[in-house]
Amino acid sequence: MKGLDFMKNSFDQLMLSRRWTEEYLDHIDDMLPCELAHMDELCNILHDYKGKEVVIYPDFDCDGVMAGVILYAGLNELGFKAHLHVPIPSEGYGMQPNQIHAIRKQYPNAELMITCDQGITEFGGIECANKDGFVVVVTDHHEPKQGALPSAATIVDPWREDDPCEFKEICGATVAWKVLTAYANKFADNGKKRAIKQLVVFAAIGTVSDCMLMLNNNRDIVRRGIASMKQISQNGITLLDFPKGTSPEYLTVFKGLSALIDVLDFENMLQKITEDTFGYVIAPMVNSVKRLGKDLSIVFNVFLKADVSCAEQMFELNQERQRLTKEQYAQIMASAQLFAPYVYLAETTGGMAGLLANKIMSETGMPTVVLYKTENGFAGSGRSPEWCNLKRILLDGEFSVGGHANSFGVRHVESIKLVSQMYDVIKDNVAYLLRNQEHTTPTYDVLLTQDSNFTEVMLVLSILAPFGRGFEKPTYLFETTKDHVKEIKHMGKEKQHTKIVLDNDMELIAWNTNIEELPNTIKWAGMPSINEFMGKKTNQIVGNLII
């Protein structure tokens, strides 16, 4: 990887701890073949309906929203009369018959329905849509059910058994973007091709939000998305390429993205735009709407109407979501949990269960399921670290789950007896994995001291970025002694944050942690940065004290 030759300190430590080779780093940016099967067939079907009404049926997580926005903007820009259905999470995942009937009533002249981030397993939903007079084409990135496919006119999905795509780890938004790219390359002029190309920013948000592998093709998509976000943040949409005759729908989608960026900038959430902006800022805001049971029109109207008030509402809902997560997590930890550390019972909702499972997993390092009571038993969500495919474990145990290997929903557990069986299944499998696979406690890639060259550290990070699943951000351990501490400050309205200032003006920052006393030897785990304010640069590590 270019640019790293002269950095022989933190980079050498990183190479050693990660067991990277120069050859490995040279190839993680390689673009692998990803020509999706049945793409030409789908493009031809689409072309038959050009100028006619088309309905887009997206999933309702962040990836699904981004896929829907891509298709809405792109199809209208390419000459279709595209409508975007706003799904109703409370009615369940997938294509719901009630919603399909409502779509038919709302758009009586529409003949074509295109799904995004869903469809590959929607046998009943597609059959219902067919009966309601829709021709259905599917764009998805999930795995089919044991090779079987629903009765859609055609299906584009990298996980089809007959798909030759070598790089299958793409999100639903990327599949949607590739469909439009293929259509534009076949039927559109150069101006429209450039317009479709610009929609990559939404594919980048979907890629990070859905935790796709941050390797090969996805690295290119995310880098391009970050560049686009930076451009819009600095200049608005004035420097984007809007060809003559740009559709109002396409233009409004980018105005909406610009409005969202303005809200984040006002809230001081965009000090630096990276892949973390997609994964830890935008995605939680988008997902907070469904998690709190609110109308998804709040999210979609940011992009379909460029509604600034909706962007502000998303931010406020995410703040509420953070508060509820903290509160409900404390309640779980304070209650008797018979099936810990793998299965937890909580007074929560479907929207919050996944967040709680993720927080518990991050604390315990163990695969985690959080269940809540329903009318007929229990439902919830599961999260697991990379070394444990918890979804497969539960499927093999004949539990009803759906989603990705390490992030999924638990649809229905009938009784507390089955909850106990779920615990036993997970416990036995984890015990086997820990006995037979390499699984060690966390270590740190790079050791830093007050004498470390932070400029070099930050250059290494910028060259290696973007980071994500499969290419995780390096971990850093900073060591010093108590006699180098100049001051301990507490920040925030409730003095809930801590800033430790060292004698060289370096700062150790812990959010939502009040630290009063320090040991003689200070070990601080976190992420280094260089903060610049009024011309002064300060080395910082945001993290926490290791006790």
Side-chain angles (χ1 to χ4, degrees):
M1 186 174 281
K2 295 181 179 179
L4 293 169
D5 295 343
F6 67 96
M7 301 175 195
K8 299 298 184 184
N9 189 356
S10 66
F11 180 61
D12 281 351
Q13 290 187 58
L14 190 53
M15 287 282 283
L16 184 63
S17 65
R18 290 288 175 94
R19 300 178 184 176
W20 287 342
T21 64
E22 291 186 9
E23 181 182 12
Y24 169 74
L25 292 179
D26 284 341
H27 289 292
I28 61 171
D29 289 325
D30 288 353
M31 297 292 286
L32 300 179
C34 192
E35 296 299 321
L36 297 172
H38 303 275
M39 184 71 85
D40 197 54
E41 181 183 6
L42 191 150
C43 289
N44 289 334
I45 293 172
L46 272 179
H47 199 58
D48 290 339
Y49 292 89
K50 185 173 181 180
K52 299 178 182 179
E53 291 189 64
V54 176
V55 178
I56 303 157
Y57 198 145
D59 189 18
F60 46 69
D61 66 358
C62 186
D63 183 29
V65 170
M66 294 303 126
V69 168
I70 287 171
L71 289 178
Y72 175 78
L75 288 174
N76 280 297
E77 181 66 7
L78 292 168
F80 295 81
K81 296 177 181 178
H83 307 289
L84 182 59
H85 170 62
V86 178
I88 305 171
S90 61
E91 294 187 3
Y93 286 94
M95 301 170 66
Q96 297 298 318
N98 287 344
Q99 295 182 50
I100 293 168
H101 299 327
I103 292 169
R104 168 49 70 212
K105 187 175 181 180
Q106 186 176 4
Y107 305 111
N109 297 320
E111 298 178 27
L112 182 69
M113 178 180 287
I114 180 169
T115 76
C116 50
D117 195 30
Q118 66 165 335
I120 192 74
T121 61
E122 290 300 316
F123 294 86
I126 291 175
E127 183 179 353
C128 177
N130 289 337
K131 289 179 179 178
D132 270 10
F134 287 105
V135 173
V136 181
V137 293
V138 170
T139 75
D140 199 354
H141 76 126
H142 295 93
E143 294 184 38
K145 288 183 177 178
Q146 297 179 341
L149 298 174
S151 57
T154 193
I155 299 172
V156 170
D157 185 316
W159 292 102
R160 285 186 60 146
E161 289 185 351
D162 62 347
D163 195 295
C165 175
E166 289 186 25
F167 190 76
K168 295 181 179 294
E169 274 277 343
I170 56 177
C171 68
T174 294
V175 174
W177 180 61
K178 289 175 73 68
V179 165
L180 294 182
T181 300
Y183 182 90
N185 287 339
K186 187 169 184 176
F187 295 112
D189 60 32
N190 288 333
K192 299 300 183 185
K193 291 175 185 176
R194 291 194 301 272
I196 299 305
K197 189 176 182 180
Q198 286 182 144
L199 293 171
V200 70
V201 62
F202 300 102
I205 296 171
T207 296
V208 178
S209 73
D210 230 35
C211 297
M212 296 293 101
L213 280 177
M214 197 55 68
L215 299 171
N216 304 105
N217 306 41
N218 285 339
R219 294 176 63 78
D220 177 67
I221 288 171
V222 172
R223 282 191 179 120
R224 290 160 68 180
I226 291 170
S228 180
M229 280 282 288
K230 287 179 178 178
Q231 184 184 59
I232 296 172
S233 177
Q234 294 166 2
N235 306 295
I237 63 173
T238 56
L239 297 183
L240 295 180
D241 186 357
F242 296 116
K244 186 177 180 180
T246 295
S247 73
E249 295 86 358
Y250 181 91
L251 187 61
T252 301
V253 159
F254 279 98
K255 286 181 178 178
L257 180 59
S258 182
L260 177 60
I261 289 171
D262 288 344
V263 168
L264 293 175
D265 193 43
F266 177 79
E267 298 290 350
N268 201 30
M269 300 292 288
L270 285 184
Q271 295 180 1
K272 185 178 181 182
I273 295 175
T274 68
E275 64 275 15
D276 288 346
T277 307
F278 299 153
Y280 295 109
V281 180
I282 294 178
M285 284 176 61
V286 170
N287 288 330
S288 67
V289 178
K290 74 176 176 69
R291 292 191 189 284
L292 296 184
K294 304 299 182 181
D295 190 336
L296 276 188
S297 294
I298 295 170
V299 177
F300 284 106
N301 283 347
V302 172
F303 303 103
L304 273 60
K305 297 183 179 180
D307 192 326
V308 177
S309 66
C310 285
E312 292 169 342
Q313 196 172 352
M314 282 169 56
F315 181 83
E316 292 166 1
L317 287 171
N318 191 46
Q319 296 291 101
E320 173 68 5
R321 188 270 309 167
Q322 291 174 338
R323 184 191 68 78
L324 285 173
T325 302
K326 184 176 180 180
E327 181 181 289
Q328 293 181 13
Y329 172 77
Q331 291 172 353
I332 291 173
M333 293 297 104
S335 62
Q337 294 290 337
L338 298 178
F339 309 111
Y342 306 119
V343 182
Y344 295 80
L345 302 181
E347 293 184 9
T348 188
T349 62
M352 295 296 296
L355 293 171
L356 294 167
N358 191 67
K359 183 167 178 60
I360 294 170
M361 182 198 71
S362 68
E363 295 289 336
T364 65
M366 291 291 115
T368 302
V369 174
V370 170
L371 299 175
Y372 57 92
K373 197 80 173 68
T374 66
E375 290 183 3
N376 302 310
F378 300 88
S381 289
R383 300 291 186 270
S384 61
E386 285 296 311
W387 54 268
C388 175
N389 187 335
L390 184 55
K391 178 189 172 186
R392 174 49 53 195
I393 288 171
L394 293 180
L395 284 174
D396 290 345
E398 298 185 349
F399 291 95
S400 178
V401 300
H404 299 292
N406 306 106
S407 174
F408 55 86
V410 180
R411 296 193 180 103
H412 181 56
V413 183
E414 291 182 357
S415 65
I416 198 71
K417 181 178 180 181
L418 287 175
V419 173
S420 179
Q421 290 180 18
M422 175 183 285
Y423 165 79
D424 289 337
V425 166
I426 299 173
K427 181 185 70 174
D428 291 346
N429 277 273
V430 168
Y432 173 82
L433 289 171
L434 295 182
R435 281 197 309 269
N436 294 279
Q437 296 183 14
E438 182 180 346
H439 175 67
T440 60
T441 56
T443 57
Y444 301 94
D445 296 311
V446 179
L447 178 65
L448 300 175
T449 68
Q450 287 178 257
D451 296 326
S452 295
N453 186 335
F454 269 56
T455 300
E456 176 203 288
V457 171
M458 299 314 297
L459 276 172
V460 169
L461 284 172
S462 66
I463 292 169
L464 291 174
F467 299 101
R469 186 167 68 87
F471 192 70
E472 283 76 14
K473 191 174 288 187
T475 55
Y476 295 85
L477 181 66
F478 173 80
E479 290 188 355
T480 189
T481 55
K482 188 176 181 179
D483 58 350
H484 285 290
V485 175
K486 183 166 68 175
E487 184 180 9
I488 300 178
K489 297 180 179 180
H490 295 102
M491 308 172 292
K493 292 181 181 179
E494 301 175 5
K495 304 299 181 183
Q496 71 272 34
H497 312 306
T498 302
K499 178 190 288 186
I500 300 168
V501 183
L502 304 182
D503 53 12
N504 66 343
D505 291 330
M506 181 178 170
E507 297 173 347
L508 308 177
I509 298 174
W511 300 120
N512 296 307
T513 305
N514 187 296
I515 299 172
E516 299 286 352
E517 295 291 332
L518 293 168
N520 290 328
T521 299
I522 298 171
K523 294 187 177 184
W524 192 270
M527 186 55 56
S529 63
I530 300 176
N531 181 52
E532 186 169 355
F533 180 70
M534 296 183 68
K536 180 183 178 182
K537 293 183 178 181
T538 303
N539 293 340
Q540 294 181 336
I541 299 181
V542 178
N544 219 324
L545 183 68
I546 302 297
I547 304 299

